Amino acid sequence: MTAAGTPIAVVTGASSGIGAATARQLAAAGYRVVLTARRKDRIEALAAELNEAGHQATSYALDVTDREAVQTFATAFRTISVLVNNAGGALGADPVATGDPADWREMYEVNVIGTLNVTQALLPALTASGDGTVVILSSTAGHATYEGGGGYVAAKNGARVLAETLRLEIVGTPVRVIEIAPGMVKTDEFATTRFRGDTEKAAKVYAGVAEPLTADDVADTITWACTRPPHVNIDLLVVRPRAQASNTKVHREL
């Protein structure tokens, strides 16, 4: 906590999408949010927005795959109440036979090693709070595979296993580990980034789906899980739009 007793929540990948929405909702719930992302201008603008609204927010430009930078960042905190490991993403949708190893490597570095870096660096401060919460944003891709998703599925499986293993290893400490696994979420950047700016391909992901999840929908589940009583651990929360029964079964009105 801060000197004034306000609990601190660190959100990675807070420059857009689920990360930005989570920062807004945690700020509204009474946390002092620390926004981290590579895009400094985005998080500075969001911090200004939140402060102008009467909340407490600070920004810190950070690449979660830079272990030394993450460790330097962590020295600023004595205690932290919540860590939301949101930084991640997908690249490409090629089959295993032709997938680019560079894409697979980058997805693993961000989704798994980045989460590992930040969690390791901040775990002492989370423990020192006496009531810490680690949130790991995985995906339904981490629970069931689909064609063209091999690299992303492998990375999100890594994030899922990281959460499960950490929970086993730190049981008995005052830190709980929550995994949130969203299904189809329509944000401004996820699919566009995956298809390297091809907006036509990105649009096809959501074609005919009346109401995919929004970033706010996922942020709502994260905030709800973080604000449960300290003895309540939401081990795993899978959230999909009603139109999506599985990774490969989606109702489309075309």
Side-chain angles (χ1 to χ4, degrees):
M1 291 189 178
T2 65
T6 305
I8 296 173
V10 174
V11 182
T12 69
S15 58
S16 65
I18 293 170
T22 299
R24 289 187 177 99
Q25 292 199 28
L26 287 174
Y31 290 91
R32 177 166 79 85
V33 293
V34 179
L35 316 172
T36 74
R38 289 176 294 184
R39 293 180 290 186
K40 183 179 179 182
D41 58 332
R42 293 282 195 98
I43 54 175
E44 285 180 344
L46 179 54
E49 170 199 316
L50 293 173
N51 287 320
E52 288 171 8
H55 304 306
Q56 298 180 60
T58 56
S59 62
Y60 191 102
L62 183 68
D63 179 347
V64 297
T65 67
D66 185 336
R67 188 170 178 84
E68 184 177 347
V70 170
Q71 291 173 333
T72 298
F73 166 70
T75 62
F77 305 97
R78 184 177 61 82
T79 65
I80 291 172
S81 293
V82 172
L83 165 61
V84 180
N85 284 295
N86 168 73
L91 289 173
D94 298 317
V96 171
T98 57
D100 186 343
D103 287 346
W104 283 53
R105 187 173 294 110
E106 184 172 343
M107 285 187 281
Y108 192 85
E109 284 289 333
V110 177
N111 290 284
V112 184
I113 303 302
T115 296
L116 178 68
N117 287 340
V118 180
T119 301
Q120 285 183 335
L122 294 180
L123 194 56
L126 286 156
T127 305
S129 74
D131 176 21
T133 300
V134 176
V135 177
I136 293 178
L137 262 290
S138 64
S139 166
T140 54
H143 294 263
T145 192
Y146 57 93
E147 293 169 283
Y152 183 59
V153 168
K156 285 304 187 183
N157 262 281
R160 173 181 64 81
V161 171
L162 192 161
E164 290 182 351
T165 307
L166 178 63
R167 189 181 301 117
L168 291 172
E169 292 173 343
I170 65 171
V171 67
T173 72
V175 179
R176 57 188 176 180
V177 181
I178 295 170
E179 178 191 353
I180 305 291
M184 181 182 285
V185 185
K186 187 175 183 180
T187 64
D188 292 337
E189 297 185 336
F190 180 84
T192 304
T193 299
R194 183 170 202 169
F195 295 111
R196 295 178 173 80
D198 189 327
T199 54
E200 186 175 343
K201 279 187 177 181
K204 288 180 180 178
V205 173
Y206 312 104
V209 180
E211 292 182 287
L213 295 177
T214 67
D216 282 331
D217 292 329
V218 180
D220 184 52
T221 67
I222 295 169
T223 303
W224 175 80
C226 290
T227 54
R228 295 311 84 207
H231 70 286
V232 177
N233 194 95
I234 309 301
D235 283 14
L236 169 63
L237 196 160
V238 177
V239 53
R240 292 188 175 100
R242 185 174 60 190
Q244 184 184 30
S246 75
N247 289 345
T248 56
K249 181 70 172 180
V250 180
H251 176 68
R252 299 178 188 272
E253 299 175 358
L254 299 173

